[in-house]
Amino acid sequence: MERRIEVLTITDAQVSYDGSVALRGVDMTVPQGTLVAVIGPNGAGKTTLLRTISGLVPRTAGKITFDGVDLGRLSADKIVRHGVVHVPEGRMVLGRMSVHDNLLLGAHCRPRGTNLSPDIDAVLALFPPLKTRLTQLAGSLSGGEQQMVAIARGLMAKPRLLMLDEPSLGLAPLVIKRIFEVLDEIRRQGITVLLVEQNAEMALSHADQGYVLDLGRVAAHGSASDLLKDERVRNAYLGI
Ligand code: ATP
């Protein structure tokens, strides 16, 4: 069997907000070049997990390493420079800036003087609808186009691990299908993907592995195809 290098390793992560525990002893591994989906009900701790990896929320205990480096020792901007990039829930595009400027903003951590034109071309190849929108204000785009900008902006940082929080939220089925096709393509390009989704069945059907978070704990994990077949997971978390 092919040996995979483990890229992201989370060991016993614990997070509290003002004494209320949001993550309780979470262990997780995201192997290089895979797409790992994290699903679970509202308030399960999914967003907290991504924000903790990004260094935006402090851990009370546990360890997170990416490529052998302890992320707990790095500030949020250094974590991005280390290749861990977070596309947040709600897109957070800068509505009063053009699409092009939003994309350039994603590359702020790249070395000064880098020629970004090939990277812009590469993200536009993934999201052709943005080609004719480059000079338009990002805030004037549809929700689906804004999500494309958010993912494209994340890719401009040249991630080795791209984390996405609910990229399908509020989008039409056809746009969701396109977003998931792009995630497949991103993984094919060798970028590791950690995906948080309410759209659990869709996420698992595109993922290699899945984790179910519930009340801040890992309630189940395994290959995505096994989770999709698991009666308990289907009843409790997929609404099937
Ligand atoms: P959703 O799918 O609704 O976004 P989630 O699985 O992403 O939920 P989190 O947003 O991580 O869950 O929330 C986990 C728990 O932490 C919840 O009980 C939530 O109320 C709490 N929480 C999240 N952010 C904060 C915060 N900034 N301050 C206090 N409590 C918070």
Side-chain angles (χ1 to χ4, degrees), residues 37-94:
V38 179
I39 61 167
N42 287 338
K46 304 181 298 297
T47 294
T48 300
L49 176 74
L50 296 195
R51 289 177 60 80
T52 306
I53 297 166
S54 293
L56 301 172
V57 171
R59 291 187 310 281
T60 42
K63 190 169 182 182
I64 302 179
T65 63
F66 178 67
D67 253 4
V69 172
D70 181 356
L71 297 188
R73 295 178 182 274
L74 303 183
S75 57
D77 67 307
K78 292 232 169 69
I79 290 174
V80 175
R81 281 172 218 277
H82 188 53
V84 178
V85 174
H86 185 164
V87 179
E89 185 175 0
R91 297 146 205 160
M92 306 289 179
V93 298
L94 293 167

Side-chain angles (χ1 to χ4, degrees), residues 147-210:
Q147 186 61 64
M148 292 176 194
V149 173
I151 298 173
R153 183 181 57 189
L155 290 169
M156 290 295 293
K158 280 267 179 235
R160 290 187 288 153
L161 171 66
L162 186 68
M163 305 193 294
L164 303 109
D165 196 347
E166 308 269 12
S168 78
L169 196 68
L171 302 182
L174 265 181
V175 183
I176 294 176
K177 184 168 173 282
R178 180 68 199 133
I179 297 281
F180 274 93
E181 282 166 3
V182 168
L183 296 186
D184 290 341
E185 177 56 27
I186 288 171
R187 175 183 40 182
R188 269 195 294 277
Q189 292 179 4
I191 299 171
T192 306
V193 179
L194 179 58
L195 170 69
V196 157
E197 259 299 337
Q198 286 281 351
N199 198 338
E201 197 174 3
M202 185 79 155
L204 287 178
S205 60
H206 285 259
D208 299 292
Q209 294 183 36

